[in-house]
C-alpha cells in the first residue's frame, strides 16, 4: 500500500516538475520576445515578465489607437499632422553631420523637461515609464517599476488626490488636463547619489499631462503625465520675476526690490501682509490650494492668479514655492524639523490689466506701515 | 525542490508578510519611513514584490535564527513556515492569477472564450500575440540604432509632447531666428512647422514680452543683474559658481513664461476669456501663455544654419536656446467652484468685521457705487434695517462655520438711495496654517423681486419707523448716561470681537509655536482702527466722522459692547435680535 502511495506521489511530483519546466519555458519565450536588453532580461522573474508583457501590449494598443484615431479624439483642433512632414522628423536639423546625428532627440526632450514620462492606467498601474525614472527615484530601474501600481510608491495622504485625477470623465471634445503634485518614494540623497535602501525619502513631483481616451476599449484609456521633481534648480531669474519669503501663514517676511517695479509696492509695505489680501478674490481658492500643498507636501506650483497692483488694476502671475526647512533632516534627527519659511518665486505673466480700476482697499489710500 | 537555504528565506519572507499585514491596516499616518524594496536576486519560484519591511525586524529575526542550534533549526523550520507559508503561497498565487487574468483580458485571442483559460494557455497565447505584433510593428524591433526598449524612441517622443502639450524650439540667441521646431507646434499654435522655421521669434511673441525674451536669449556670459537661485535651499548663488558653458555641454538653464501668437479658431476657446493679455486687435491673432524651459547650448554654426550669411562664418560657434514650450492652461486647477460669477453677480471680500476690502468692478452696475467709494466702509451701512437681524446672525454663523452660508434675500442700498434685492453666499476663508479666519468672501447676486418703486416706498415708510426706533434708543436710562445711537459699523466690529475672544480663549501653546513670526500679532487687527461710525439714516450718505463723542471714550471694546447690549435690551422689539447676538 505504502509503495503504491509512494509511487503515486513520485508520479505526481514528476508531473508537477514537468509542468513547471514547461511553464518556465513559456516564460522564457515570452521574455525573449520583449524588446529588452539582455542584461535586463536575465534578472526578470515571472511576475515581472507578465507585467512587462502587459505594459508592452497596452502601449502598442495605445499607439495604434493614436494613429487610427488621428486627431479625432480631440475635436478641438482643426489641424491634422501632415503625414509627409512627419516622416522627415527624424533629423534634428536640416543638414546631417556626424556631430548632430547621434544626438538623441528624445533624450534631449527628457533632459529639458527634467522629468520622466509616466503612463498611468485608470486603476493606477504604471504602464510605462521612460528609462530616466531611475535618475529621479533612484530606487530601481525602469523595468522593475513598470507594471506596478502607483499607490505602492506614493505617500498615502496623496492617494485620494491621485484617485481623483485618475477618474475619467466621459466627455470628449475638451482636452482633459491634469495637473497635480504628489509625493513619491525616492532613494536619492540630497546630493543626487543613490542612497542605500534604508534612506528612502519622499520626493515631490509635479505631474502634468492629459487623459488619453480610448474609444474602442476603455481599458486602454490612460493618463499621460510628465513628472518633474520640484523645484527646478538654478533657474535664471529675469526682470519679470521676484522672490519673496513668507511665514507658514503666507504673510510676507521678505520681498526683493523688483516687486516695486512690477507691482508698485515697496517691500517694507508688504511685510506682515498676507498674500491673500493682495490677490483678486476670485483666485482665493487657487492660492488656498497652493498654500495647502505647501503645508502638506512642502512644494507647490500655483496656477495662474491675479495680484493687485498698488495703483490700480492687477497682473497675472504664477508662483513656484517651496518650504525651506530650518535644519536639514538627517539620520540622527529623522523627524521633520521646524520649517523656517516659504520661499516663493513669482513670475509675472502679463502687463497691468485695467490700471484705472481700484478693487481693493490697499489701492485706494496709502497704507501705514504696521 | 527547496534548497537548504530555503527555510531561511521563507522565514525572512514571513517577517515581510507580517509587516505587510501591519502596514495595510487602516491607520496610515504618512510615516516618514517609506517602504523599501528588496533587491530581487531570485527568479523562478520565489518572487516577492516590494513588501514593506522594517529593517530592525529583519535584523532581529535573522539573529535569532542564526543563533539556534541544528535541532532547533528543524523545529523552527517546521514552525516557521508551515502556518504562514500557506498564506505566503496563497498570496503569491493570487498575485500570479491576477496578472494572468489581466493578461488574458488584453489579448484579443483570449477574449471570446466562454470559460476561464488556464495559465499555460494564456501564456502561450501571449507569446503568439507578441509574435504577431512583432511581425506587424516597426520601431521597437527594427530599430537597431538605439538599445531596445518597450517603447521605440519615436513614439516615446510623440507621447512626451502629447503629455507635455508642448513643442521643441531651438532659437539662435543673437538673431532670435527659429532654427528648429517640432511638429507638435501645429497643435498648439496652429502654425505649421514650415511656416515657423527660419522666422524670427519676435514676430510671434506678444509685444510686451519681447524684452523679457530678449533677456533670456542673451548669451551665457553673466550679466551683472542676473541672479541664480538655488531653489532647493532658497539661497541666491553667485552667478559664476555653476555655469560652465562648454561645447555641447549643458549650459545655463532658462525658464520663463511668454505669450505667443496662435491662430486657433476662436470658437473653440471661449473658456480662455480670462487669459492674460488677450489681444483684442483687429487681427485674428490671439495669444496663449507658454511656459518655456530649456537650456543654452553651443553648436558649430556651419551645421545649423545653412542660410547664414558668409559673414557669420567668422564665429565658429553659435549659441542657441533649446527649449520645450508647454502650453499653460489658463487655470491649472478647477475653476473656483465656490464662487460663480454671472452678469448680475459680483464678488466682494470683507474683513471679519464686515468692512469691504475688495469689491469686484461688476458691483458698480448693481449698486451704483464705484469700488473705491465703498471700500473701507462696513457692509452694515448698506443693509436695510429689516434685514440687520438676520444678516448679523449669518455673519456670526459664517465666522464659525467652514461651509458656505446662504443669506435670504435682503435689500442693499444703492448709491441713489434705492434698494436692490440681493442674495448672497458667504464663506469665511481660514488660513490653512494658523486656522484663523482671514476674511469673508461674498458672492452676491441680484434677485428679481418687486420693482424699485415699491422699494422706495418701503424705504420711505421704514424711515419713519426708524426715526421712532432712533428716538427710543436715544432715551437715557443707561448706566453710562450718554446719549447713544447705534452705529452700523459697530455691529460688525462687535461680531468680530466675539470671534477674537474665541481665539484668545482657545489659543494653546502649540498654536503659538506654529507661527513664530509675530505670534503677538493681533488676531483682529482691524478693531484697533478708528471706527467709522455712521448714523443709520437711510437716504443719507454715510458720513465718515471720526470725532464722535461717546464711543471713543470707551477704553475697551468690551465696554463698548456692554453699552450696546444695554441699549438693545431696552428696546422690546429688538429682544430677539439680542438673543442671537449672545
Amino acid at each position: 500500500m505504502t509503495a503504491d502511495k509512494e509511487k503515486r506521489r513520485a508520479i505526481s511530483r514528476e508531473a508537477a516538475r514537468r509542468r513547471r519546466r514547461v511553464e518556465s519555458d513559456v516564460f522564457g519565450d515570452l521574455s525573449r520576445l520583449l524588446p529588452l536588453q539582455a542584461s535586463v532580461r536575465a534578472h526578470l522573474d515571472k511576475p515581472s515578465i507578465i507585467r512587462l508583457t502587459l505594459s508592452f501590449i497596452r502601449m502598442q494598443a495605445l499607439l495604434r489607437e493614436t494613429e487610427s484615431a488621428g486627431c479625432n479624439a480631440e475635436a478641438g483642433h482643426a489641424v491634422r499632422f501632415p503625414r509627409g512632414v512627419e516622416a522627415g522628423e527624424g533629423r534634428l536639423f536640416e543638414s546631417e553631420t556626424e556631430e548632430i546625428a547621434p544626438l538623441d532627440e528624445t533624450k534631449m526632450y527628457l533632459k529639458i523637461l527634467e522629468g520622466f514620462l509616466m503612463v498611468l492606467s485608470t486603476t493606477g498601474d504604471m504602464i510605462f515609464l521612460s528609462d530616466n525614472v531611475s535618475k529621479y527615484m533612484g530606487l530601481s530601474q525602469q523595468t522593475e517599476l513598470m507594471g506596478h501600481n502607483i499607490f505602492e510608491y506614493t505617500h498615502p495622504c496623496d492617494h485620494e488626490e491621485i484617485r481623483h485625477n485618475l477618474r475619467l470623465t466621459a466627455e470628449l471634445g475638451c482636452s482633459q488636463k491634469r495637473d497635480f503634485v504628489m509625493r513619491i518614494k525616492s532613494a536619492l540623497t540630497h546630493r543626487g547619489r543613490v542612497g542605500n535602501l534604508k534612506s528612502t525619502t519622499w520626493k515631490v513631483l509635479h505631474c502634468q499631462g492629459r487623459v488619453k481616451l480610448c474609444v474602442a476599449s476603455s481599458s486602454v484609456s490612460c493618463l499621460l503625465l510628465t513628472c518633474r521633481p520640484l523645484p527646478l534648480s538654478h533657474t535664471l531669474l529675469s526682470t519679470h520675476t521676484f522672490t519673496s519669503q513668507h511665514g507658514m501663514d503666507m504673510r510676507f517676511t521678505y520681498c526683493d526690490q523688483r516687486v516695486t517695479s512690477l507691482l508698485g509696492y515697496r517691500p517694507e509695505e508688504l511685510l506682515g501682509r498676507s498674500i491673500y489680501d493682495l490677490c483678486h478674490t476670485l483666485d482665493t481658492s487657487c492660492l488656498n490650494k497652493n498654500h495647502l500643498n505647501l503645508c502638506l507636501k512642502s512644494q507647490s506650483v500655483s496656477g495662474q492668479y491675479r495680484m493687485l497692483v498698488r495703483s490700480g488694476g492687477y497682473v497675472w502671475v504664477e508662483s513656484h514655492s517651496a518650504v525651506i526647512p530650518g535644519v536639514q533632516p538627517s539620520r540622527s534627527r529623522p523627524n521633520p524639523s521646524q520649517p523656517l519659511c516659504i520661499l516663493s518665486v513669482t513670475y509675472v505673466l502679463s502687463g497691468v490689466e485695467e490700471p484705472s480700476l481700484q478693487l481693493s482697499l490697499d489701492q485706494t489710500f496709502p497704507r501705514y506701515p504696521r | 525542490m527547496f534548497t537548504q537555504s530555503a527555510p531561511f528565506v521563507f522565514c525572512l519572507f514571513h517577517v515581510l508578510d507580517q509587516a505587510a499585514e501591519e502596514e495595510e491596516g487602516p491607520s496610515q499616518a504618512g510615516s516618514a519611513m517609506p517602504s523599501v524594496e528588496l533587491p530581487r536576486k531570485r527568479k523562478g519560484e520565489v518572487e516577492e514584490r516590494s513588501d514593506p519591511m522594517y529593517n530592525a525586524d529583519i535584523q532581529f529575526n535573522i539573529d535569532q535564527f542564526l543563533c539556534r542550534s541544528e535541532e532547533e533549526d528543524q523545529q523552527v523550520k517546521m514552525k516557521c513556515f508551515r502556518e504562514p507559508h500557506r498564506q505566503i503561497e496563497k498570496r503569491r498565487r493570487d498575485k500570479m492569477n491576477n496578472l494572468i487574468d489581466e493578461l488574458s483580458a488584453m489579448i484579443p485571442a483570449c477574449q471570446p472564450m466562454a470559460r476561464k483559460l488556464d495559465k499555460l494557455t494564456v501564456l502561450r497565447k501571449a507569446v503568439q500575440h507578441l509574435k504577431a505584433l512583432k511581425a506587424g510593428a516597426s520601431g521597437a524591433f527594427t530599430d537597431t540604432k538605439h538599445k531596445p526598449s518597450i517603447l521605440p524612441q519615436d513614439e516615446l517622443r510623440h507621447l512626451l509632447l502629447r503629455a507635455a502639450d508642448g513643442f521643441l524650439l531651438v532659437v539662435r540667441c543673437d538673431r532670435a531666428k527659429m532654427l528648429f521646431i517640432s511638429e507638435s507646434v501645429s497643435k498648439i499654435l496652429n502654425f505649421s512647422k514650415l511656416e515657423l522655421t527660419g522666422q524670427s521669434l519676435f514676430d510671434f511673441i506678444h509685444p510686451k514680452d519681447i524684452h523679457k525674451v530678449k533677456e533670456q536669449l542673451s548669451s551665457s556670459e553673466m550679466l551683472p543683474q542676473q541672479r541664480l537661485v538655488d531653489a532647493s535651499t532658497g539661497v541666491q548663488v553667485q552667478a559664476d559658481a555653476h555655469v560652465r558653458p562648454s561645447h555641447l555641454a549643458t549650459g545655463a538653464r532658462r525658464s520663463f513664461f511668454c505669450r505667443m501668437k496662435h491662430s486657433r479658431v476662436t470658437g473653440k476657446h471661449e473658456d480662455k476669456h480670462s487669459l492674460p493679455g488677450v489681444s483684442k486687435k483687429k487681427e485674428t491673432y490671439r495669444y496663449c501663455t507658454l511656459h518655456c524651459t530649456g537650456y543654452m547650448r553651443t553648436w558649430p554654426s556651419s551645421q545649423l544654419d545653412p542660410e547664414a550669411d558668409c559673414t557669420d562664418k567668422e564665429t565658429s560657434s553659435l549659441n542657441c536656446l533649446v527649449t520645450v514650450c508647454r502650453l499653460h492652461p489658463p487655470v491649472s486647477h478647477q475653476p473656483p467652484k465656490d464662487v460663480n460669477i454671472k452678469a448680475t453677480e459680483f464678488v466682494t471680500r470683507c474683513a471679519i468685521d464686515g468692512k469691504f476690502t475688495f469689491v469686484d468692478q461688476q458691483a458698480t452696475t448693481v449698486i451704483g457705487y464705484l469700488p473705491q467709494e465703498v471700500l473701507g466702509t462696513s457692509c452694515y451701512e448698506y443693509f436695510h434695517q429689516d434685514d440687520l437681524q438676520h444678516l448679523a446672525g449669518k455673519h456670526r454663523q459664517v465666522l464659525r462655520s467652514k461651509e458656505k452660508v446662504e443669506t435670504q434675500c435682503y435689500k442693499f442700498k444703492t448709491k441713489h438711495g434705492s434698494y436692490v434685492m440681493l442674495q448672497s453666499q458667504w464663506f469665511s476663508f481660514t488660513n490653512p496654517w494658523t486656522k484663523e479666519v482671514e476674511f469673508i468672501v461674498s458672492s452676491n447676486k441680484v434677485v428679481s423681486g418687486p420693482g424699485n418703486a415699491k422699494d422706495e416706498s418701503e424705504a420711505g415708510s421704514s424711515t419713519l419707523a426708524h426715526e421712532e426706533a432712533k428716538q427710543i434708543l436715544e432715551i437715557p436710562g443707561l448706566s453710562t448716561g450718554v446719549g447713544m445711537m447705534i452705529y452700523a459699523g459697530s455691529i460688525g466690529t462687535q461680531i468680530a470681537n466675539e470671534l477674537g475672544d474665541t481665539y484668545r480663549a482657545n489659543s494653546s501653546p502649540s498654536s503659538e509655536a506654529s507661527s513664530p513670526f509675530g505670534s503677538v500679532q493681533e488676531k483682529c487687527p482691524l478693531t484697533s482702527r478708528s471706527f467709522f461710525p455712521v448714523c443709520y439714516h437711510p437716504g443719507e450718505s454715510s458720513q465718515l466722522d471720526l470725532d464722535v463723542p461717546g464711543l471713543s471714550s470707551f477704553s475697551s471694546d468690551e465696554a463698548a459692547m456692554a453699552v450696546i447690549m444695554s441699549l438693545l435690551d431696552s428696546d422690546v422689539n429688538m429682544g430677539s435680535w439680542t438673543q442671537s447676538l449672545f
Side-chain angles (χ1 to χ4, degrees):
Chain A
M1 277 297 278
T2 349
D4 225 359
K5 236 186 186 176
E6 277 293 331
K7 209 174 162 193
R8 257 181 278 149
R9 252 192 240 147
I11 291 172
S12 75
R13 265 205 300 270
E14 258 310 308
R17 221 174 275 151
R18 225 180 302 126
R19 267 201 308 270
R20 272 193 284 268
R21 217 178 304 137
V22 168
E23 196 181 280
S24 297
D25 285 343
V26 177
F27 269 108
D29 287 341
L30 208 51
S31 76
R32 269 184 292 278
L33 280 171
L34 291 172
L36 297 168
Q37 287 182 303
S39 52
V40 173
R41 189 175 295 142
H43 289 130
L44 289 180
D45 60 2
K46 286 181 185 168
S48 294
I49 294 177
I50 302 187
R51 267 194 286 275
L52 289 174
T53 312
L54 272 170
S55 286
F56 183 75
I57 296 176
R58 270 176 159 147
M59 290 310 288
Q60 291 292 319
L62 195 70
L63 294 170
R64 263 181 289 127
E65 163 76 16
T66 317
E67 266 186 35
S68 62
C71 303
N72 286 339
E74 261 98 1
H77 299 278
V79 173
R80 293 174 173 275
F81 285 112
R83 288 271 152 200
V85 183
E86 208 179 311
E89 205 188 348
R91 291 275 142 256
L92 180 59
F93 296 101
E94 304 305 312
S95 56
E96 297 177 41
T97 64
E98 316 88 57
E99 250 176 325
I100 299 191
L103 266 183
D104 203 336
E105 194 182 327
T106 312
K107 275 222 170 62
M108 194 186 277
Y109 281 121
L110 288 172
K111 185 153 67 158
I112 296 175
L113 278 179
E114 281 206 343
F116 58 93
L117 179 72
M118 174 155 68
V119 181
L120 272 184
S121 76
T122 46
T123 51
D125 293 322
M126 300 187 279
I127 304 176
F128 178 78
L129 297 162
S130 59
D131 48 12
N132 58 345
V133 64
S134 49
K135 190 168 144 203
Y136 297 102
M137 283 175 68
L139 266 179
S140 34
Q141 294 178 25
Q142 173 199 34
T143 45
E144 284 183 30
L145 279 175
M146 239 162 51
H148 283 254
N149 198 283
I150 197 171
F151 293 116
E152 293 166 29
Y153 290 90
T154 48
H155 198 288
C157 296
D158 296 339
H159 287 178
E160 189 50 52
E161 197 179 346
I162 298 174
R163 243 175 247 125
H164 176 75
N165 277 293
L166 285 175
R167 250 174 264 147
L168 303 173
T169 51
E171 33 178 312
L172 296 172
C174 78
S175 57
Q176 300 175 36
K177 301 279 178 71
R178 294 288 186 267
D179 189 315
F180 58 97
V181 171
M182 69 179 183
R183 284 163 285 183
I184 206 164
K185 286 178 203 157
S186 163
L188 296 177
T189 61
H190 288 291
R191 296 207 190 89
R193 275 175 275 154
V194 181
N196 57 13
L197 293 171
K198 293 185 195 159
S199 63
T200 48
T201 53
W202 297 108
K203 191 167 197 153
V204 183
L205 286 183
H206 182 211
C207 304
Q208 288 173 288
R210 57 177 344 125
V211 172
K212 183 100 194 68
L213 276 179
C214 180
V215 193
S217 71
S218 64
S219 61
V220 185
S221 301
C222 58
L223 232 59
L224 292 177
L225 296 171
T226 56
C227 305
R228 302 149 82 215
L230 290 176
L232 293 177
S233 58
H234 304 148
T235 311
L236 173 69
L237 300 177
S238 73
T239 49
H240 287 76
T241 61
F242 64 93
T243 55
S244 53
Q245 283 181 12
H246 305 256
M248 289 305 290
D249 53 1
M250 288 304 269
R251 287 177 193 265
F252 282 87
T253 55
Y254 163 79
C255 193
D256 88 51
Q257 294 293 329
R258 279 164 204 231
V259 71
T260 314
S261 52
L262 293 168
L263 293 178
Y265 301 99
R266 282 175 295 117
E268 309 83 69
E269 280 184 305
L270 290 176
L271 297 183
R273 299 293 309 285
S274 166
I275 199 172
Y276 294 105
D277 279 343
L278 297 174
C279 303
H280 199 287
T281 305
L282 287 175
D283 297 326
T284 308
S285 56
C286 169
L287 282 173
N288 192 21
K289 185 147 194 276
N290 189 43
H291 194 177
L292 279 170
N293 270 346
L294 280 170
C295 293
L296 296 173
K297 301 169 193 165
S298 86
Q299 283 159 10
S300 179
V301 173
S302 74
Q304 299 173 355
Y305 62 98
R306 286 160 281 193
M307 278 195 92
L308 301 169
V309 176
R310 180 70 179 79
S311 50
Y314 53 86
V315 290
W316 286 92
V317 301
E318 172 165 318
S319 295
H320 294 194
S321 322
V323 174
I324 311 293
V327 180
Q328 293 286 355
S330 62
R331 294 265 307 263
S332 53
R333 263 175 307 172
N335 299 321
S337 58
Q338 188 72 15
L340 187 60
C341 64
I342 292 175
L343 178 76
S344 208
V345 176
T346 306
Y347 297 85
V348 174
L349 304 174
S350 76
V352 179
E353 312 237 336
E354 318 240 22
S356 55
L357 204 57
Q358 292 174 334
L359 296 169
S360 156
L361 200 54
D362 297 312
Q363 296 171 313
T364 53
F365 56 84
R367 268 193 77 80
Y368 297 98
R370 295 182 129 255
Chain B
M1 274 313 283
F2 300 120
T3 64
Q4 278 306 314
S5 63
F8 170 81
V9 173
F10 272 109
C11 209
L12 211 63
F13 287 116
H14 161 59
V15 173
L16 281 183
D17 220 46
Q18 269 195 341
E21 316 268 294
E22 281 163 35
E23 216 183 57
E24 278 159 22
S27 57
Q28 265 287 22
S31 60
M33 279 260 280
S35 67
V36 156
E37 185 149 335
L38 262 192
R40 261 178 288 124
K41 295 279 172 54
R42 299 168 68 89
K43 60 172 179 164
E45 310 301 337
V46 176
E47 61 263 341
E48 278 296 337
R49 295 205 282 165
S50 56
D51 279 333
M53 70 177 199
Y54 295 99
N55 294 324
D57 283 352
I58 288 267
Q59 220 35 56
F60 173 68
N61 269 297
I62 292 176
D63 287 341
Q64 262 200 337
F65 189 78
L66 291 173
C67 285
R68 294 213 175 99
S69 69
E70 194 55 36
E71 221 171 280
E72 287 178 332
D73 245 345
Q74 289 295 323
Q75 288 174 7
V76 166
K77 205 196 300 185
M78 290 303 148
K79 227 191 305 186
C80 213
F81 65 82
R82 187 181 293 149
E83 200 60 43
H85 176 52
R86 251 184 272 136
Q87 286 175 13
I88 299 173
E89 271 301 307
K90 184 172 188 314
R91 289 179 75 225
R92 192 175 60 82
R93 266 198 316 264
D94 286 341
K95 278 184 201 162
M96 183 59 96
N97 287 338
N98 283 340
L99 284 173
I100 297 283
D101 285 343
E102 275 185 55
L103 194 58
S104 68
M106 286 306 305
I107 298 175
C110 298
Q111 298 289 4
M113 296 292 159
R115 56 180 178 77
K116 212 171 99 156
L117 290 173
D118 69 295
K119 188 165 148 187
L120 211 52
T121 320
V122 173
L123 288 173
R124 287 208 175 104
K125 290 218 187 286
V127 170
Q128 286 173 2
H129 188 62
L130 283 194
K131 283 187 178 152
L133 284 177
K134 190 172 173 174
S138 60
F141 302 99
T142 59
D143 190 359
T144 50
K145 214 179 357 172
H146 302 114
K147 63 181 189 202
S149 63
I150 291 286
L151 203 60
Q153 296 285 46
D154 280 346
E155 275 146 357
L156 176 61
R157 193 181 61 230
H158 251 290
L159 273 187
L160 252 179
L161 291 176
R162 286 301 285 130
D165 236 354
F167 56 92
L168 181 72
L169 174 67
V170 181
V171 187
R172 263 180 83 146
C173 290
D174 49 355
R175 294 198 195 153
K177 185 163 151 190
M178 296 194 273
L179 295 173
F180 175 80
I181 306 187
S182 70
E183 184 58 45
S184 42
V185 69
S186 53
K187 267 216 163 175
I188 297 171
L189 297 183
N190 214 30
F191 296 120
S192 80
K193 170 179 152 134
L194 297 170
E195 279 180 78
L196 292 174
T197 315
Q199 301 289 325
S200 166
L201 179 64
F202 292 136
D203 288 343
F204 291 89
I205 302 262
H206 192 284
K208 287 198 183 143
D209 289 342
I210 289 185
H211 174 69
K212 192 199 287 189
V213 176
K214 255 194 197 150
E215 195 186 35
Q216 295 287 331
L217 285 180
S218 56
S219 67
S220 46
E221 305 142 18
M222 288 294 126
L223 304 174
Q225 62 263 33
Q226 282 175 352
R227 300 161 305 139
L228 293 181
V229 174
D230 182 351
S232 54
T233 58
V235 173
Q236 293 199 6
V237 294
Q238 290 310 310
D240 44 278
H242 290 270
V243 180
R244 284 179 297 274
S246 64
H247 190 57
L248 287 186
T250 307
R253 276 205 67 87
R254 294 285 189 266
S255 171
F256 58 94
F257 291 84
C258 69
R259 287 164 284 179
M260 283 189 79
K261 267 185 210 166
H262 68 89
S263 64
R264 278 190 295 244
V265 182
T266 50
K268 302 279 197 294
H269 295 276
E270 53 268 306
D271 59 321
K272 293 198 174 175
H273 67 277
S274 54
L275 260 187
V278 166
S279 148
K280 293 189 172 57
K281 300 197 179 83
K282 295 192 189 69
E283 313 143 15
T284 52
Y285 292 136
R286 307 189 83 192
Y287 293 91
C288 58
T289 311
L290 298 174
H291 185 194
C292 305
T293 50
Y295 54 93
M296 308 293 280
R297 206 161 158 160
T298 316
W299 273 299
S301 65
S302 53
Q303 292 150 4
L304 290 181
D305 202 352
E307 303 161 21
D309 312 329
C310 300
T311 50
D312 260 359
K313 297 260 172 41
E314 293 166 7
T315 56
S316 59
S317 70
L318 203 60
N319 277 338
C320 295
L321 175 66
V322 183
T323 160
V324 168
C325 304
R326 302 178 71 147
L327 185 64
H328 218 62
V331 271
S332 57
H333 56 91
Q334 296 289 335
K337 284 201 268 283
D338 34 32
V339 193
N340 282 317
I341 299 299
K342 294 196 196 68
T344 48
E345 291 180 10
F346 62 96
V347 75
T348 58
R349 183 164 70 195
C350 306
I352 53 179
D353 63 357
K355 296 215 181 74
F356 289 114
T357 54
F358 178 100
V359 176
D360 195 357
Q361 64 260 44
Q362 286 166 299
T364 312
T365 55
V366 177
I367 63 174
Y369 293 102
L370 282 175
Q372 50 262 45
E373 295 173 333
V374 160
L375 289 169
T377 58
S378 171
C379 59
Y380 286 96
E381 298 167 24
Y382 307 89
F383 296 155
H384 193 274
Q385 186 202 5
D386 297 339
D387 301 312
L388 276 180
Q389 177 179 349
H390 126 257
L391 286 171
K394 294 287 182 194
H395 183 184
R396 290 184 89 237
Q397 192 186 340
V398 79
L399 287 176
R400 282 158 180 76
S401 151
K402 286 209 189 319
E403 277 126 34
K404 266 189 280 188
V405 166
E406 271 213 24
T407 67
Q408 299 160 18
C409 300
Y410 63 94
K411 298 196 200 61
F412 194 98
K413 190 175 70 164
T414 68
K415 187 167 183 175
H416 319 289
S418 60
Y419 284 87
V420 60
M421 287 290 275
L422 293 180
Q423 197 231 344
S424 305
Q425 278 186 335
W426 293 348
F427 77 91
S428 62
F429 176 75
T430 26
N431 189 303
W433 185 256
T434 59
K435 306 280 191 293
E436 288 173 13
V437 179
E438 292 219 352
F439 47 79
I440 300 168
V441 176
S442 169
S443 158
N444 316 292
K445 78 173 179 242
V446 176
V447 173
S448 58
N452 272 346
K454 188 153 178 257
D455 283 343
E456 277 174 20
S457 66
E458 276 181 21
S461 60
S462 69
T463 314
L464 197 61
H466 200 69
E467 288 293 341
E468 290 171 17
K470 197 170 70 141
Q471 280 173 0
I472 291 170
L473 292 169
E474 271 180 89
I475 292 172
L478 316 161
S479 47
T480 60
V482 179
M484 288 294 299
M485 283 198 284
I486 291 201
Y487 295 95
S490 56
I491 299 172
T493 319
Q494 172 191 307
I495 294 178
N497 286 343
E498 282 175 20
L499 191 69
D501 290 342
T502 321
Y503 283 149
R504 275 190 278 270
N506 287 348
S507 76
S508 56
S510 59
S511 67
E512 293 294 352
S514 67
S515 50
F517 319 91
S519 40
V520 289
Q521 272 174 13
E522 276 184 318
K523 303 277 198 275
C524 301
L526 290 160
T527 57
S528 62
R529 281 210 210 140
S530 31
F531 283 131
F532 294 102
V534 170
C535 304
Y536 197 77
H537 286 287
E540 280 182 31
S541 55
S542 40
Q543 293 171 359
L544 301 179
D545 191 1
L546 293 172
D547 314 340
V548 175
L551 271 184
S552 53
S553 67
F554 288 114
S555 53
S556 72
D557 293 336
E558 282 86 350
M561 193 162 81
V563 170
I564 295 168
M565 281 301 106
S566 56
L567 284 175
L568 299 173
D569 256 335
S570 64
D571 191 306
V572 179
N573 290 339
M574 306 185 107
S576 54
W577 184 21
T578 314
Q579 284 297 65
S580 70
L581 284 175
F582 273 110

